[in-house]
């Protein structure tokens, strides 16, 4: 699997998610078997580039390449400038957000709303490619199947993007109208794949090794992208890789392994965000990690009342130690479903929350 000059470790990708796929989370998923990870969106609004949140989103210190940054906006020159800005800060791949279904984004004609204005969408793609090409940086596009059930224009936009020089297209198998309701459909993704020469990535509802194999077969996609299913379960990537290679399910991680990985992730999280913000934003990651485990909900509620990073780590280690006395490996007691949006973040598989760009 290759994007421009960058050969990837495998075809299992981490989806960009607002408030989730920061550098520590991307690094964790890469350690757990993901071959590629896209950052949270960086706004094309120049007045926000020096904000604390944008600087955190553009932080790639120690991150394994290729560094992929997603940008979003509605103005072609501004998007081109945003691409150049992020390339100067280390981005090796630029991804254009044309998939966000959130009302606050679409009301400003960004995200998936661009699929309603194909000339503007193409103008933005051409401007970003023109800004990135002289630097040898490939541009990718993330989109939906269309605006609504009667306006599925993913194939047409994908073909135009390919002709404009885009190196890869990712399609989430829902329309903007669906948001994240109902089930993803893969027929449109298969049609996009059949129409293009460049790599096509399938996204949407991939939450198990079996589903990953099914989606690859149904779409013929070159890769799959996983978002919400990786929240609290970053080892899903190595589970999928093992299943695709052997046809057998990989045993769940040991309780001790999961505890060590989560603590390591949290320490990196605190380092990026600082003690106060780090402690608060870590709550969602801890909640996702324990939600399917015995006593997980009670622990989550108690943990949310803790007010220091040290207290979080201590409580987490104690809780996993108690769990480990009864189970060697993580006991999955119920089929994992798409996680609810938690108060600490507003996140989606492929999307950005502009509210989080504001101080």
């Amino acid at each position: 699997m290759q994007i421009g000059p960058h050969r990837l470790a495998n075809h299992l990708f981490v989806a960009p998610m607002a408030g989730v796929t920061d550098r520590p989370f991307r690094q964790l998923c890469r350690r757990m078997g993901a071959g590629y990870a896209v950052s949270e969106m960086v706004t094309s609004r120049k007045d926000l580039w020096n904000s604390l949140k944008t600087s955190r989103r553009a932080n790639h210190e120690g991150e394994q390449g290729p560094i992929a940054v997603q940008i979003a906006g509605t103005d072609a020159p501004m998007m081109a400038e945003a691409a150049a800005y992020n390339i100067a800060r280390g981005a090796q791949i630029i991804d254009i957000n044309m998939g966000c279904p959130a009302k606050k984004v679409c009301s400003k004609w960004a995200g998936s709303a661009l699929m309603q204005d194909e000339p503007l969408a193409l103008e933005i793609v051409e401007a970003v490619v023109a800004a990135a090409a002289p630097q040898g940086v490939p541009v990718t596009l993330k989109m939906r199947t269309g605006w609504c059930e009667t306006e599925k224009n993913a194939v047409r936009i994908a073909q135009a993007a390919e002709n404009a020089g885009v190196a890869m297209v990712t399609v989430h198998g829902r329309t903007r109208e669906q948001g994240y309701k109902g089930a993803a459909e893969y027929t449109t993704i298969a049609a996009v794949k059949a129409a293009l020469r460049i790599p096509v990535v399938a996204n949407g509802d991939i939450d198990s090794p079996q589903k990953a194999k099914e989606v690859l077969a149904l779409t013929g996609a070159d890769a799959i992208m996983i978002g919400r299913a990786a929240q609290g379960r970053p080892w899903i990537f190595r589970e999928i890789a093992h299943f695709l290679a052997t046809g057998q399910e990989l045993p769940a991680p040991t309780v001790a392994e999961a505890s060590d990985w989560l603590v390591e992730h949290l320490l990196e999280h605190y380092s990026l965000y600082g003690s106060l913000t780090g402690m608060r934003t870590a709550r969602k990651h801890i909640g996702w990690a324990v939600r399917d485990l015995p006593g997980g909900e009670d622990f989550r509620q108690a943990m949310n009342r803790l007010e220091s990073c040290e207290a979080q780590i201590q409580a987490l280690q104690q809780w996993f130690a108690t769990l480990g006395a009864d189970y060697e490996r993580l006991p999955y007691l119920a089929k994992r479903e798409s996680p609810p949006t938690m108060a600490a973040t507003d996140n989606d598989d492929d999307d950005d929350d502009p509210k989080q760009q504001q101080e």
Side-chain angles (χ1 to χ4, degrees), residues 205-218:
D205 291 355
I206 302 170
D207 58 2
S208 70
Q210 293 80 4
K211 189 61 177 285
K213 183 177 181 179
E214 176 189 355
V215 171
L216 284 169
L218 287 172

Side-chain angles (χ1 to χ4, degrees), residues 26-47:
R26 295 194 302 271
Q27 289 176 313
L28 175 64
C29 290
R30 295 291 291 270
R31 290 196 295 271
M32 295 293 100
Y36 177 65
V38 185
S39 76
E40 300 175 86
M41 184 276 284
V42 175
T43 180
S44 61
R45 286 181 52 186
K46 192 172 184 178
D47 59 312

